[in-house]
Amino acid sequence: MNNKKITLLASSVVFMEWLEYALYMYLGLAISHWFFPTSNGDLPLILTYAIFAISYIGRPLGGLVFGLYADKKGRRKPLIFSSLLAGVATAGIGLIPSYGHIGMLAPALLLVCRLAQSFAVSGEWNNSSIFLIEHAQKNRVLAGAWIGTAGSAGMFFGGVVAYLVSLSSHPNSWQIAFVSIGLLSIVLASFRKQLSESPEFVEFKKTRASSNTKIFHTLSKHKLGVFKIATIAAFLCVYIYTCNIYFMSYMITKLGYSASSASFNMSVLQGVVTVLIPLFALLAERLGYLKVLKWSVPAIGLMSVIQFYGASVQSHELIVVGFIIYALANSGVSACIFKYMFDSLPVEVRCTGSSLAYSVSAAIFGGTAPLLAATLIDKGYALMPAGYVVAVAFVTFISITLKPQARPTQNQVGAQN
């Protein structure tokens, strides 16, 4: 199988999962009215975000299960299982009856589906990028960046679908979208059976055939690598969920934007990011991905301050400036993060360490970010969400500059600072 087909199949389900994630958050208001009584002000929206946050507890378990399997048996099969589970969970969300029909069973079933979705995505995000980079013989920053591109494209189309749903007169249009996305993910799982195993993993198994690698013992020797992955994962989740996904609901509920206008703005923003990520990956191939990260991370912190300050004074011009910085800096981070995580751990523990560290960090920081932002804004702390992003950006920048990346294997080639 050629690299283009491998890239397409490996990144396709990432696209579908981020489309679903974006759709859930962009349509938070509509979804909250389906699963909760509508007579409680902003509480239904906060509860919808709370379910999203609680569901992230499924990520560490999924990261452990899929990561261990990928490091012991191979990268290919976990990608099939995770896409199948994600498809079933996504379709399930669209098939749940409303609160008006089944009462509190509706949000309970929503939580079950979101837990399954979180479990599945933990085996998808990191393992797909590792799979692509291990297949690539050159341009490994770009190879990993296709996963970031797929995720960004998913968010872009999530905004497009949210925009179309906001214009639709059909009361169940958002459910049709979820069921369709789920079914497509299930179909893609069947196509993934055509994937060949990672050549780097196959080579490792040949040379270490008689070795029974003790994964957690090996991971204990790479604490810095695990820390680097955890911090940049927290950073990515916090700024995306705060400054993009939550900010759209903020534009609607606090700034007076219509649902269609907010969806359109976020769709354009994400479309620009999608185009820029591969370009920044090529830039990182020339300059070194650490250089690109070192300017992108502080830029995100600056962006969050401009964005939320602009919102607090209702300055459309400052919000637009924030969006421009977001597009550039987010593209830089998304282009480089996968090669950065890849180089942090050796092949024998790469999937377990990367998936587990990323998932735990995402569960703690990512799932709670929209809920925290919504609560802070509701309490009148208009700039505190930006302060949170700045604090996480500072810690991440320090972790990037602590010391050189962990020892690379003989097959790990790529741009370094």
Side-chain angles (χ1 to χ4, degrees):
M1 183 180 294
N2 62 52
N3 281 340
K4 289 183 179 179
K5 191 171 183 179
I6 291 171
T7 299
L8 180 62
L9 287 176
S11 60
S12 58
V13 178
V14 173
F15 167 82
M16 301 303 293
E17 288 178 348
W18 278 87
L19 193 162
E20 188 275 337
Y21 267 46
L23 200 60
Y24 182 89
M25 300 305 290
Y26 287 159
L27 296 177
L29 287 173
I31 293 172
S32 68
H33 293 161
W34 183 262
F35 289 102
F36 297 99
T38 58
S39 58
N40 294 323
D42 289 338
L43 183 59
L45 180 61
I46 291 176
L47 290 174
T48 300
Y49 287 152
I51 285 180
F52 184 81
I54 294 169
S55 71
Y56 265 63
I57 65 176
R59 282 206 170 197
L61 180 59
L64 180 62
V65 171
F66 286 116
L68 283 172
Y69 193 99
D71 282 333
K72 287 288 188 180
K73 303 296 184 180
R75 320 308 201 195
R76 175 180 166 272
K77 285 187 178 180
L79 294 180
I80 298 171
F81 296 148
S82 63
S83 57
L84 181 61
L85 179 59
V88 171
T90 301
I93 291 173
L95 296 173
I96 299 172
S98 70
Y99 178 89
H101 287 88
I102 60 175
M104 288 304 296
L105 185 58
L109 290 174
L110 174 63
L111 178 58
V112 170
C113 289
R114 291 243 60 96
L115 283 167
Q117 178 78 355
S118 290
F119 185 92
V121 77
S122 64
E124 188 68 35
W125 184 246
N126 298 81
N127 290 348
S128 293
S129 65
I130 290 169
F131 185 79
L132 288 181
I133 296 172
E134 287 181 347
H135 266 282
Q137 299 301 313
K138 59 180 181 179
N139 293 334
R140 286 186 145 191
V141 177
L142 180 61
W146 289 122
I147 297 301
T149 304
S152 180
M155 291 183 68
F156 167 70
F157 280 98
V160 171
V161 174
Y163 175 71
L164 295 175
V165 167
S166 70
L167 297 178
S168 173
S169 59
H170 196 293
N172 303 112
S173 54
W174 73 266
Q175 292 172 284
I176 295 171
F178 272 81
V179 172
S180 301
I181 294 167
L183 293 177
L184 282 172
S185 295
I186 293 171
V187 171
L188 288 170
S190 65
F191 282 110
R192 278 186 164 186
K193 294 179 181 179
Q194 303 173 28
L195 290 171
S196 57
E197 186 53 82
S198 154
E200 188 169 328
F201 179 80
V202 171
E203 183 64 25
F204 165 75
K205 294 300 284 186
K206 285 180 181 178
T207 58
R208 301 283 293 273
S210 61
S211 171
N212 182 21
T213 303
K214 296 180 179 179
I215 288 178
F216 290 104
H217 175 72
T218 306
L219 270 178
S220 68
K221 300 178 180 178
H222 297 276
K223 294 176 183 176
L224 176 61
V226 172
F227 175 72
K228 283 175 172 287
I229 293 169
T231 52
I232 202 163
F235 173 64
L236 182 75
C237 291
V238 165
Y239 82 74
I240 286 181
Y241 287 128
T242 301
C243 300
N244 184 314
I245 292 177
Y246 165 72
F247 197 76
M248 178 175 154
S249 294
Y250 183 35
M251 291 170 70
I252 297 169
T253 59
K254 303 297 183 182
L255 301 181
Y257 285 75
S258 66
S260 59
S261 176
S263 297
F264 178 79
N265 283 321
M266 285 303 181
S267 296
V268 171
L269 175 64
Q270 208 57 50
V272 173
V273 172
T274 302
V275 172
L276 289 179
I277 289 174
L279 299 179
F280 271 88
L282 292 172
L283 178 66
E285 296 282 5
R286 294 179 62 87
L287 301 181
Y289 65 80
L290 291 181
K291 285 184 178 178
V292 176
L293 279 176
K294 284 176 182 177
W295 74 257
S296 298
V297 171
I300 290 288
L302 174 64
M303 171 278 301
S304 68
V305 174
I306 294 174
Q307 187 181 58
F308 278 91
Y309 177 75
S312 70
V313 298
Q314 299 194 4
S315 169
H316 180 71
E317 291 77 12
L318 284 178
I319 292 174
V320 170
V321 170
F323 282 170
I324 292 171
I325 299 174
Y326 177 92
L328 295 171
N330 182 35
S331 299
V333 173
S334 299
C336 302
I337 185 174
F338 298 101
K339 186 61 164 60
Y340 175 79
M341 294 191 294
F342 180 89
D343 282 346
S344 295
L345 295 171
V347 61
E348 62 267 30
V349 294
R350 188 174 288 145
C351 288
T352 303
S354 181
S355 295
L356 188 57
Y358 192 100
S359 298
V360 169
S361 197
I364 296 171
F365 296 97
T368 58
L371 177 61
L372 179 61
T375 303
L376 290 170
I377 294 295
D378 191 56
K379 297 295 184 181
Y381 300 109
L383 295 181
M384 285 302 292
Y388 184 42
V389 174
V390 169
V392 179
F394 177 77
V395 174
T396 303
F397 185 82
I398 295 300
S399 74
I400 292 172
T401 57
L402 277 176
K403 60 169 66 175
Q405 289 290 91
R407 171 188 58 84
T409 67
Q410 62 180 1
N411 292 319
Q412 288 177 322
V413 293
Q416 290 284 344
N417 182 27

